[in-house]
Amino acid sequence: MAKPAQGAKYRGSIHDFPDFDPGQDAEALYTAMKGFGSDKEAILELITSRSNRQRQEICQSYKSLYGKDLIADLKYELTGKFERLIVGLMRPLAYCDAKEIKDAISGIGTDEKCLIEILASRTNEQIHQLVAAYKDAYERDLEADIIGDTSGHFQKMLVVLLQGTREADDVVSEDLVQQDVQDLYEAGELKWGTDEAQFIYILGNRSKQHLRLVFDEYLKTTGKPIEASIRGELSGDFEKLMLAVVKCIRSTPEYFAERLFKAMKGLGTRDNTLIRIMVTRSELDMLDIREIFRTKYEKSLYSMIKNDTSGDYKKALLKLCGGDDDAAGQFFPEAAQVAYQMWELSAVARVELKGTVCPVDNFNPDADAKALRKAMKGLGTDEDTIIDIITHRSNAQRQQIRQTFKSHFGRDLMADLKSEISGDLARLILGLMMPPAHYDAKQLKKAMEGAGTDEKALIEILATRTNAEIRAICEAYKEDYHKSLEDALSSDTSGHFKRILISLATGNREEAGEDRDQAREDAQVAAEILEIADRPSGDKTSLETRFMTILCTRSYPHLRRVFQEFVKMTNYDVEHIIKKEMSGDVRDVFVAIVQSVKNKPLFFADKLYKSMKGAGTDEKTLTRIMISRSEIDLLNIRREFIEKYDKSLHQAIEGDTSGDFLKALIAVCGGED
């Protein structure tokens, strides 16, 4: 069994088997493989219940007793994914890694993702053991083989990682932190082209603790996370490798949780990745991976494996997983501390919000108005010109174009556009032409029109807008529809949901910072209303009102502190508990508020992803978000999208829309990540 660092707690899911007898186990395995067929249940039960050290002793006993190689016999008796998993477990970790790398660089093509995963995540000691195991197993030099199979900066970084010379975590210098931040900034953002050697040297050699400080300082200095600079400055496999290194520096278990999720999400399972991680992390940090997996993806690793695999292969994987964390939102005590630290980071991080649509230089409303008139005059319509002008002007510039169009031609530009274009393109272009508050007001009006109410649209808008935006929407609604937004919401919704929406529609959220004492009180109210406090107090109706007041009126910085205190107090995440304990529209609006407080760009990235996944596209949601966030934080949304879903927003739009609607959306999207 892998030994934890001195003073550290063991976080693997596989433990030494008590009263271990390697000879007896060898006999049991021999019996399970003797005769016609094999007893796979007995094999998997025994091998997944022993630590790696104990499995090596079983191999030795097997050879002593029967003069045969246990791994060779297992290969003969078992097949497919189950065989790959069991045989992987029988190898020492370093030899398992060596085999994975040998497979990754053998034959036609290279499995770069495998190389990245192993070399970006291993410690110095593990790297040294891997190099020695590769030499022993294949009588070849690993560095020479990797140089022969890769190229460019990707190859250089792999070679640096292969040296296993990253500085120890006690090597931290404040002066050097500042110097490294400056060097990385000058090597990327401030340089015409990129000085890749600086990225390689700093990210390949500095200690993890030092680099975490560098990343924090980089964010404060430049207004963007180091990951965003890497995506902007590097490309291809080199970019993917550097992002993996950064993720492992920040949190190796979180890196593997993400890799496991991506291995199982969508159609098909990436079994090689799933097997490799479950085998190699089972005696290192599987419990940490499980905790982060559940926190991040709102489901347990166990349940996802159970739903995505089958047969003996599934049984063996579940044994390695070591348990089902099926109570959504409930943390291990250690994970509660991880979540607490995440809130600490979110409280101090000040990420600059950026849109994708900016005012165009040398703006000429007269020329734009004439070009639009020409595009719509006569037979046919020049959609390309309309798209090009409207998607590349800020909203303020579009209002100037509308005024100029009326002054020149005595015509209403919006009316002309309506008559010339139609369908999804018309909704997008006309939406871009409206002032933001009037556009949001119209979306709220549409959500409440006719039979049925579009609660999702009401929630999305009212739960995410700032006080200033809400007040502007209320004025626009009154001006356009001669009725107050509050009256409209009162007529179309009911109960607690109505009260929550009306509270949000007042635009009276506090704008001060956090109050720690008040945050603890608010967290206690949340714990009582969600029925997980040790001593519930007060009547239910009063508590519900207080909970609504907290979520609808406290400032974002204060609510972040409340959520943090909630985790510290209960070992639960407030979002997951709301999902578990509440239902219907009330649950949905509270979840939207919490997600918006946690990370508003990620909230919109999730909404965009859901609007395009599966059969059919929710064009209304897609259009609404692309319009409303285009000048606020669409660039940040793009970064969250690619981080979470492993593909760019640009790619998702390309794969899910078509024609002129696609062209216009891509222009608003503003680039490929």
Side-chain angles (χ1 to χ4, degrees):
M1 185 172 70
K3 289 184 179 178
Q6 191 172 3
K9 190 174 178 183
Y10 180 67
R11 302 295 292 151
S13 56
I14 298 294
H15 299 262
D16 280 334
F17 189 75
D19 303 320
F20 172 60
D21 183 336
Q24 190 175 314
D25 285 351
E27 287 181 31
L29 287 171
Y30 182 77
T31 302
M33 292 186 283
K34 194 168 67 172
F36 184 73
S38 54
D39 186 349
K40 296 181 180 66
E41 185 82 32
I43 293 169
L44 82 85
E45 185 63 36
L46 192 150
I47 289 175
T48 59
S49 301
R50 307 298 186 268
S51 67
N52 193 276
R53 178 187 62 77
Q54 290 174 332
R55 293 183 208 120
Q56 305 319 307
E57 290 187 50
I58 295 169
C59 281
Q60 195 59 51
S61 293
Y62 193 90
K63 185 165 278 188
S64 299
L65 287 169
Y66 305 109
K68 301 176 75 172
D69 182 68
L70 177 54
I71 289 180
D73 280 3
L74 287 167
K75 281 183 179 180
Y76 181 79
E77 292 291 335
L78 309 177
T79 58
K81 295 174 285 192
F82 181 56
E83 177 218 319
R84 187 180 180 94
L85 175 60
I86 294 297
V87 169
L89 286 168
M90 295 307 301
R91 294 190 176 101
L93 177 61
Y95 285 81
C96 187
D97 280 350
K99 176 70 165 64
E100 290 292 318
I101 287 186
K102 186 73 167 66
D103 289 347
I105 57 179
S106 295
I108 300 170
T110 305
D111 182 355
E112 289 86 3
K113 288 181 179 178
C114 173
L115 294 181
I116 290 169
E117 179 196 298
I118 292 174
L119 295 180
S121 65
R122 301 313 192 242
T123 64
N124 286 349
E125 184 182 0
Q126 289 166 347
I127 290 286
H128 297 153
Q129 290 170 352
L130 161 62
V131 171
Y134 192 91
K135 184 80 171 175
D136 180 51
Y138 306 111
E139 297 181 353
R140 298 178 65 89
D141 181 68
L142 179 53
E143 183 179 322
D145 281 359
I146 282 181
I147 288 172
D149 213 66
T150 58
S151 60
H153 298 298
F154 178 57
Q155 176 200 88
K156 289 173 188 171
M157 185 61 178
L158 289 176
V159 169
V160 167
L161 294 173
L162 264 179
Q163 305 315 302
T165 53
R166 187 176 296 286
E167 293 164 350
D169 266 348
D170 56 357
V171 181
V172 176
S173 159
E174 286 186 22
D175 292 340
L176 192 55
V177 166
Q178 295 294 337
Q179 186 61 53
D180 283 348
V181 169
Q182 193 60 35
D183 287 347
L184 287 170
Y185 192 43
E186 289 176 358
E189 300 285 339
L190 295 182
K191 188 178 178 67
W192 180 258
T194 306
D195 183 358
E196 289 87 353
Q198 278 287 21
F199 279 87
I200 290 171
Y201 177 72
I202 293 171
L203 294 182
N205 289 284
R206 297 284 191 253
S207 74
K208 284 191 170 189
Q209 188 56 38
H210 176 89
L211 285 172
R212 289 183 194 117
L213 295 173
V214 169
F215 299 160
D216 290 345
E217 198 59 38
Y218 190 91
L219 178 62
K220 291 176 192 171
T221 302
T222 68
K224 62 167 66 175
I226 187 69
E227 291 90 338
S229 292
I230 288 171
R231 287 197 183 95
E233 299 298 327
L234 312 180
S235 61
D237 292 324
F238 181 47
E239 175 197 345
K240 291 172 188 169
L241 174 58
M242 297 306 259
L243 287 172
V245 168
V246 170
K247 284 176 183 174
C248 289
I249 296 295
R250 291 194 187 277
S251 169
T252 304
E254 184 170 358
Y255 170 71
F256 283 113
E258 185 179 306
R259 291 279 294 158
L260 285 167
F261 179 74
K262 289 175 179 176
M264 291 181 280
K265 78 177 178 109
L267 291 172
T269 304
R270 299 172 193 171
D271 292 292
N272 286 357
T273 301
L274 178 56
I275 291 167
R276 181 170 58 246
I277 297 172
M278 295 303 290
V279 168
T280 59
R281 310 313 293 187
S282 61
E283 295 185 37
L284 295 174
D285 51 8
M286 185 58 70
L287 296 187
D288 295 320
I289 292 168
R290 272 170 46 185
E291 290 163 6
I292 290 169
F293 193 98
R294 184 180 51 188
T295 306
K296 196 166 182 176
Y297 303 112
E298 302 168 27
K299 64 179 81 175
S300 67
L301 175 59
Y302 188 99
S303 67
M304 195 159 185
I305 291 170
K306 192 174 179 181
N307 293 329
D308 214 65
T309 58
S310 60
D312 295 316
Y313 175 53
K314 174 172 80 174
K315 290 176 187 174
L317 286 170
L318 293 177
K319 288 274 288 182
L320 294 180
C321 184
D324 186 4
D325 319 310
D326 56 358
Q330 185 178 359
F331 295 94
F332 290 101
E334 291 86 354
Q337 295 311 309
V338 171
Y340 190 94
Q341 289 159 14
M342 284 163 59
W343 287 117
E344 278 288 353
L345 285 173
S346 73
V348 298
R350 292 287 177 269
V351 178
E352 183 184 357
L353 298 178
K354 286 187 179 178
T356 54
V357 175
C358 307
V360 72
D361 294 333
N362 304 315
F363 173 56
N364 186 336
D366 187 68
D368 285 346
K370 288 176 181 175
L372 287 170
R373 176 69 180 136
K374 183 179 177 184
M376 295 185 283
K377 200 173 176 183
L379 288 173
T381 306
D382 182 358
E383 286 89 354
D384 285 347
T385 295
I386 294 171
I387 291 168
D388 184 55
I389 291 174
I390 291 175
T391 61
H392 290 97
R393 306 295 183 269
S394 69
N395 194 275
Q397 290 175 331
R398 293 183 205 119
Q399 303 318 309
Q400 288 182 252
I401 294 169
R402 281 180 73 174
Q403 191 58 53
T404 305
F405 195 90
K406 183 163 274 189
S407 300
H408 274 3
F409 307 113
R411 302 172 67 92
D412 179 34
L413 176 55
M414 294 286 279
D416 280 7
L417 286 167
K418 272 184 190 175
S419 69
E420 293 293 330
I421 55 178
S422 61
D424 294 328
L425 177 65
R427 274 191 288 274
L428 179 61
I429 294 297
L430 292 169
L432 288 167
M433 290 303 303
M434 295 179 73
H438 289 267
Y439 177 74
D440 277 347
K442 183 175 182 181
Q443 297 309 301
L444 291 169
K445 181 76 164 62
K446 280 182 171 291
M448 294 183 280
E449 273 179 348
T453 304
D454 183 353
E455 291 86 2
K456 288 182 179 177
L458 296 179
I459 291 168
E460 178 202 302
I461 294 170
L462 294 175
T464 60
R465 302 308 192 249
T466 65
N467 285 344
E469 288 166 345
I470 290 285
R471 289 166 192 159
I473 291 167
C474 288
E475 287 177 21
Y477 199 96
K478 185 82 171 174
E479 180 186 333
D480 294 346
Y481 307 112
H482 312 294
K483 182 179 184 179
S484 75
L485 176 57
E486 182 179 331
D487 287 346
L489 290 167
S490 292
S491 302
D492 210 66
T493 58
S494 61
H496 288 306
F497 184 54
K498 177 176 81 173
R499 291 171 59 208
I500 296 163
L501 292 183
I502 289 173
S503 178
L504 291 171
T506 61
N508 284 327
R509 187 176 291 284
E510 296 164 1
E511 296 185 350
E514 64 182 63
D515 177 334
R516 290 203 175 210
D517 291 336
Q518 184 63 56
R520 281 189 281 274
E521 284 183 35
D522 290 345
Q524 181 65 33
V525 170
E528 289 175 12
I529 193 64
L530 295 170
E531 298 182 341
I532 56 171
D534 290 335
R535 294 183 301 280
S537 60
D539 72 274
K540 187 88 170 174
T541 304
S542 170
L543 283 170
E544 285 173 347
T545 302
R546 287 176 67 192
F547 188 54
M548 181 190 81
T549 301
I550 291 164
L551 286 184
C552 295
T553 67
R554 300 285 195 258
S555 71
Y556 272 30
H558 180 82
L559 282 174
R560 288 191 187 101
R561 178 63 65 182
V562 172
F563 300 159
Q564 186 185 30
E565 292 298 330
F566 186 88
V567 169
K568 188 179 178 185
M569 186 183 294
T570 68
N571 275 357
Y572 288 75
D573 175 66
V574 69
E575 178 187 338
H576 298 167
I577 292 301
I578 289 171
K579 288 178 178 175
K580 184 183 176 187
E581 298 295 334
M582 296 185 165
S583 61
D585 297 327
V586 171
R587 174 199 61 202
D588 293 345
V589 69
F590 280 156
V591 166
I593 293 168
V594 172
Q595 290 178 340
S596 183
V597 170
K598 283 181 174 180
N599 185 336
K600 195 178 289 185
L602 179 58
F603 169 79
F604 284 114
D606 285 339
K607 296 280 285 183
L608 285 170
Y609 177 76
K610 287 170 185 171
S611 76
M612 292 181 279
K613 77 166 188 171
T617 305
D618 179 359
E619 288 88 357
K620 288 181 181 177
T621 299
L622 175 58
T623 300
R624 186 172 59 243
I625 295 174
M626 295 296 287
I627 290 171
S628 64
R629 311 314 295 183
S630 60
E631 293 184 46
I632 299 173
D633 55 4
L634 191 52
L635 188 62
N636 306 80
I637 292 167
R638 273 171 39 188
R639 289 170 182 161
E640 296 291 349
F641 194 99
I642 194 169
E643 178 71 24
K644 182 162 182 181
Y645 297 110
D646 210 22
K647 67 176 174 180
S648 67
L649 178 57
H650 187 286
Q651 288 171 322
I653 291 169
E654 272 192 329
D656 217 65
T657 60
S658 60
D660 292 323
F661 182 48
L662 164 64
K663 288 180 191 173
L665 285 172
I666 290 296
V668 173
C669 183
E672 167 66 288
D673 300 305

